[in-house]
Amino acid sequence: MIFRILTTAALVGTLAVAPITEARADAGDFIGGAIVGGLLGHAITKDQQRKQQQRTTVVRRNYSSIPSTERGAQTQTALNYFGYNAGRVDGQVGSGTRRAIEAYQASMGYPVNGRDFQPYQFDFLMQAYYWGINGGAAQTQMAGQPLLMAYRRQIQTGGAVTAAQPAPLPAPVTTVVTPAPAVEAAAPEADPALPNLFANSAPTVSLANRCNSVMLQTSTNGGYTTLASMTDADFTLSEQFCLARSYAIARGEELMSQIQGLTTAQITEQCGSFGQMLRPKADAVSLSAQPQAEAEMRSFAQSTGISPADLASTSRVCLAVGYSQDDMNLALGSALMLVAMGEPAYGELLAHHLREGFGTNQRRDLAMQWYQASLTALGNGATPVFMPSQTERPELLQQATMRLQPAERQGLLGGAAPAQNATLPTFSVTE
């Protein structure tokens, strides 16, 4: 592999931040994706330092009695979008925002208490908001509360969250100019089509739609499953998967807002390259035991020459992009990189992906290895990354995994993956 040295001059057009003296990446194709780790990480670090110096003064000058939070700002944005007047988006949840929450709760049939905004209520609101701004409003030609109700109706049908396309406009009347007879206008005969064994294969299942359905069931159940109320271990794990996904999106978007010099579209594009470079390691997750997959990604990360801190920052941002865009390859690779960079709590995401088959072959036996590795690390003092204030969450995950069928729990015994790889296709492709 040939390493390239990128000078400050070569990066000026990419990111307007303080000069970067040198950044290393693996072979040429990797530059387009992995070097974003150094760029985004550097921007995040510098901007965090600047914001840390300003934060106290800004809060004290405005509303010192009410703390401003990212979740508060997200809540206000979504409530205003659906016509529940939460006032100015400042992240400070005061009486006006609580009244808007109560109006939302009442229209959804939830218990009305603006001071008790349950996580499942927040998650459903944000899922509907992301759907609306990403095409739902344009397709349904609706806005405000009718748009929210349309989203709920489509979730209740059990189908994909899509809306009917508007009727096509009449074709415009045009004048056809007939070419001169001397000009041969006939197109050449097309070559025989190449065979495509996957032309009629089923469409890829969307994790976003899956989580929409899970959140609706959670809402019907009156809240998230607890240790005392758990009866369905599979649903409990799916519920926690969607909860972790929401937290990953929120964390990544918070970091994304701190990056200067790159638009959201540019960040998304670079994360796409990042995911392509991680794809071989992500694909191997369903073929290798947990320790081997983690070790291979760590070795790969070390070969890039990019600092672990920058790779971790980039992975958090790209994890959010992956989940927001329903790009399972990007999400899976980013989560694996975070584990390799010393954050084992993210191994929970790999377990969820393997258990349900999103972005990878379904391997419930290997999923158990990732669950156990993540939970063991948390028990040994690793920093939790999903709902850290819920102290019973690790125990809930542990109990849910132990209630699965014995054949699925065999992954807890460790060791290599079964030799037959039964979930893989029965034919091989030579590249």
Side-chain angles (χ1 to χ4, degrees):
M1 300 297 253
I2 301 174
F3 287 81
R4 296 181 180 178
I5 306 301
L6 301 186
T7 63
T8 301
L11 300 178
V12 168
T14 306
L15 182 61
V17 297
I20 305 174
T21 58
E22 181 178 296
R24 287 189 178 272
D26 204 7
D29 289 343
F30 188 66
I31 298 294
I35 195 63
V36 70
L39 301 180
L40 301 188
H42 182 81
I44 292 169
T45 301
K46 291 298 184 183
D47 201 63
Q48 284 177 330
Q49 293 173 348
R50 178 180 60 78
K51 290 193 174 187
Q52 185 64 36
Q53 295 172 352
Q54 298 176 352
R55 187 176 292 116
T56 302
T57 303
V58 172
V59 173
R60 186 176 298 140
R61 183 174 66 247
N62 292 324
Y63 303 97
S64 58
S65 60
I66 303 177
S68 177
T69 65
E70 181 70 18
R71 177 178 165 128
Q74 291 175 334
T75 299
Q76 291 164 337
T77 299
L79 287 171
N80 286 337
Y81 180 78
F82 288 116
Y84 304 100
N85 184 14
R88 185 176 64 176
V89 177
D90 55 12
Q92 299 162 343
V93 182
S95 58
T97 302
R98 286 195 290 271
R99 283 194 296 270
I101 291 173
E102 290 178 346
Y104 161 70
Q105 290 172 326
S107 64
M108 292 293 293
Y110 299 145
V112 177
N113 186 339
R115 293 184 180 275
D116 186 24
F117 193 30
Q118 291 295 311
Y120 74 89
Q121 299 171 7
F122 170 79
D123 288 343
F124 193 87
L125 175 66
M126 296 310 301
Q127 294 281 359
Y129 170 70
Y130 290 132
W131 169 75
I133 64 175
N134 285 304
Q139 292 174 351
T140 60
Q141 298 297 305
M142 292 183 181
Q145 295 180 33
L147 179 62
L148 178 64
M149 296 302 114
Y151 173 80
R152 183 171 69 170
R153 284 194 300 273
Q154 292 184 71
I155 293 297
Q156 288 172 332
T157 64
V161 188
T162 56
Q165 295 291 340
L169 296 174
V173 178
T174 59
T175 301
V176 179
V177 179
T178 303
V183 178
E184 292 293 337
E189 293 186 4
D191 292 331
L194 293 174
N196 182 354
L197 299 179
F198 301 94
N200 298 319
S201 60
T204 302
V205 179
S206 164
L207 177 58
N209 286 338
R210 166 65 172 156
C211 285
N212 289 332
S213 299
V214 169
M215 288 299 101
L216 181 63
Q217 184 61 47
T218 299
S219 173
T220 302
N221 294 342
Y224 282 108
T225 304
T226 65
L227 278 171
S229 65
M230 180 171 57
T231 58
D232 186 336
D234 260 319
F235 178 77
T236 299
L237 292 172
S238 295
E239 196 175 55
Q240 293 302 314
F241 185 10
C242 295
L243 176 62
R245 171 184 176 271
S246 296
Y247 268 71
I249 291 175
R251 175 58 176 151
E253 289 182 343
E254 180 183 355
L255 291 174
M256 201 181 302
S257 68
Q258 298 170 10
I259 300 173
Q260 295 185 350
L262 289 176
T263 65
T264 300
Q266 289 171 329
I267 293 172
T268 299
E269 181 180 0
Q270 293 203 43
C271 280
S273 299
F274 186 72
Q276 286 301 315
M277 295 302 104
L278 301 183
R279 183 167 195 141
K281 304 303 179 187
D283 288 346
V285 166
S286 65
L287 306 175
S288 306
Q290 177 271 327
Q292 180 182 347
E294 181 180 340
E296 289 180 356
M297 177 60 90
R298 185 177 298 110
S299 176
F300 172 75
Q302 291 169 350
S303 73
T304 68
I306 301 174
S307 73
D310 286 346
L311 280 174
S313 294
T314 298
S315 297
R316 289 190 190 90
V317 171
C318 292
L319 179 63
V321 171
Y323 281 141
S324 297
Q325 300 289 326
D326 225 24
D327 184 341
M328 295 298 96
N329 169 70
L330 177 56
L332 194 67
S334 298
L336 181 57
M337 178 63 80
L338 283 163
V339 174
M341 292 299 95
E343 301 195 44
Y346 282 98
E348 177 192 328
L349 292 178
L350 292 148
H352 291 313
H353 279 271
L354 285 164
R355 187 180 63 85
E356 299 205 20
F358 285 105
T360 183
N361 294 318
Q362 187 179 46
R363 289 296 303 272
R364 295 171 75 97
D365 55 327
L366 293 180
M368 294 304 105
Q369 294 184 16
W370 284 98
Y371 279 128
Q372 191 63 19
S374 175
L375 292 169
T376 298
L378 289 173
N380 291 334
T383 302
V385 292
F386 308 120
M387 295 193 72
S389 61
Q390 275 201 359
T391 56
E392 78 163 22
R393 187 170 183 272
E395 180 62 21
L396 178 66
L397 291 169
Q398 184 73 63
Q399 291 297 322
T401 59
M402 295 307 296
R403 292 188 189 185
L404 297 178
Q405 296 298 318
E408 298 169 357
R409 291 195 288 110
Q410 66 180 350
L412 291 173
L413 302 177
Q420 68 272 18
N421 286 328
T423 59
L424 296 176
T426 56
F427 57 89
S428 61
V429 177
T430 303
E431 297 185 356

